[in-house]
């Protein structure tokens, strides 16, 4: 299996595990709360690094990794409008409405720490 790993800095590892499992179909791979967890969906391995993890340690110049930037994972969905309605019904936060382009339609969902997940439906 070809697995891709991405690290997200999160405010609360437990809340992040719940979010990714409950709403986006991820499964727990490793649970080292409160510092760290890894969750998987297909070939994607998402590393959830809390404040006590090595991935969230300050840099030598004092800068600290923080959640909520614009880099993101992209999850392909078969029916974007239906998926957005389901997630909004669960009270989840979106950064924008659905937008369409030449390749398909997309929207940006936020996890509990403000990290972005792009939901994408390819054009037919």
């Amino acid at each position: 299996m070809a697995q891709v790993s991405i690290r997200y800095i999160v405010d609360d590892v437990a809340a992040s595990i719940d979010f990714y499992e409950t709403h986006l179909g991820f499964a727990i791979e490793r649970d080292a709360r409160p510092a760290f967890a890894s969750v998987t969906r297909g070939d994607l391995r998402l590393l959830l690094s809390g404040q006590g993890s090595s991935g969230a340690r300050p840099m030598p110049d004092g800068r600290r990794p923080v959640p909520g930037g614009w880099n993101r994972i992209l999850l392909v969905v078969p029916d974007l409008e239906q998926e957005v309605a389901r997630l909004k019904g669960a009270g989840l936060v979106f950064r924008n409405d659905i937008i369409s382009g030449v390749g398909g339609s997309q929207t940006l969902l936020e996890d509990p720490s403000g990290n972005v997940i792009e939901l994408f439906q390819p054009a037919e």
Side-chain angles (χ1 to χ4, degrees):
M1 175 167 77
Q3 192 174 62
V4 175
S5 295
I6 296 176
R7 183 181 311 276
Y8 272 176
I9 305 300
V10 299
D11 295 319
D12 184 327
V13 173
S16 296
I17 290 170
D18 181 57
F19 172 86
Y20 285 98
E21 273 192 312
T22 302
H23 302 293
L24 299 177
F26 282 74
I28 295 177
E29 176 189 56
R30 181 161 181 234
D31 188 343
R33 289 178 223 191
F36 174 83
S38 60
V39 294
T40 60
R41 177 178 162 165
D43 292 342
L44 173 61
R45 179 174 171 244
L46 185 57
L47 310 174
L48 304 170
S49 295
Q51 291 304 309
S53 72
S54 59
R57 289 185 185 153
M59 300 296 108
D61 66 2
R63 288 183 294 162
R64 297 191 65 86
V66 295
W70 289 96
N71 293 326
R72 56 194 178 256
I73 60 174
L74 182 149
L75 302 178
V76 175
V77 298
D79 186 330
L80 184 59
E81 288 186 9
Q82 182 180 20
E83 188 69 2
V84 168
R86 180 183 74 82
L87 296 170
K88 282 186 176 181
L92 302 186
V93 176
F94 285 81
R95 287 193 180 177
N96 64 341
D97 293 325
I98 294 173
I99 58 171
S100 296
V102 296
S105 300
Q106 64 181 275
T107 190
L108 302 178
L109 171 69
E110 290 188 352
D111 78 4
S113 298
N115 293 306
V116 184
I117 301 98
E118 180 176 324
L119 302 177
F120 180 77
Q121 181 180 344
E124 293 183 15

